[in-house]
């Protein structure tokens, strides 16, 4: 994958080191596997590394899908995880939901 995502809470998220021209010093990227699952790391200058794939212990509720992030039919479901959120004690756990039903939202 390449390009950027925007969140009003997080800011810009880069999905490939080529987006910023930093592959020589920070080689990262998110790939879509043959099964549609996302795998790898994205970067946000506001929250740090975001991991996709090989996650567990997903939150549930609000019509979310308790699984790794997946791209199917042009829509994303599942979760990514901001790694910095794993060590915070401010009530934010770092999980990023890619779709849900209450309210209805999603990445397409």
């Amino acid at each position: 994958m390449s390009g950027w995502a925007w969140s009003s809470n997080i800011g810009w998220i880069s999905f490939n080191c080529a987006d910023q021209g930093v592959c020589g010093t920070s080689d990262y990227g998110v790939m879509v596997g043959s099964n549609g699952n996302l795998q790898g790391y994205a970067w946000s200058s506001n929250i740090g590394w975001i991991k996709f794939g090989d996650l567990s212990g997903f939150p549930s509720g609000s019509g979310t899908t308790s699984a790794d992030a997946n791209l199917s039919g042009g829509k994303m479901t599942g979760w990514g995880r901001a790694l910095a959120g794993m060590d915070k004690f401010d009530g934010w756990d770092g999980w990023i939901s890619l779709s849900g039903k209450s309210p209805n939202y999603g990445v397409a």
Side-chain angles (χ1 to χ4, degrees), residues 1-93:
M1 298 179 78
S2 64
W4 299 81
W6 169 257
S7 165
S8 59
N9 294 327
I10 296 171
W12 290 106
I13 301 167
S14 166
F15 282 81
N16 191 301
C17 59
D19 297 335
Q20 300 189 78
V22 297
C23 295
T25 57
S26 184
D27 189 12
Y28 66 91
V30 178
M31 297 170 280
V32 180
S34 60
N35 61 358
N37 284 354
L38 276 61
Q39 187 79 33
Y41 294 88
W43 171 256
S44 165
S45 60
N46 292 322
I47 63 168
W49 295 110
I50 302 168
K51 181 179 180 179
F52 292 94
D54 299 325
L55 298 170
S56 62
F58 304 100
S60 61
S62 300
T64 61
T65 302
S66 294
D68 279 324
N70 181 276
L71 175 63
S72 178
K75 295 188 178 186
M76 289 190 179
T77 58
W79 297 84
R81 181 141 189 171
L83 299 182
M86 295 174 73
D87 296 324
K88 290 190 174 187
F89 297 99
D90 60 3
W92 181 68
D93 63 8

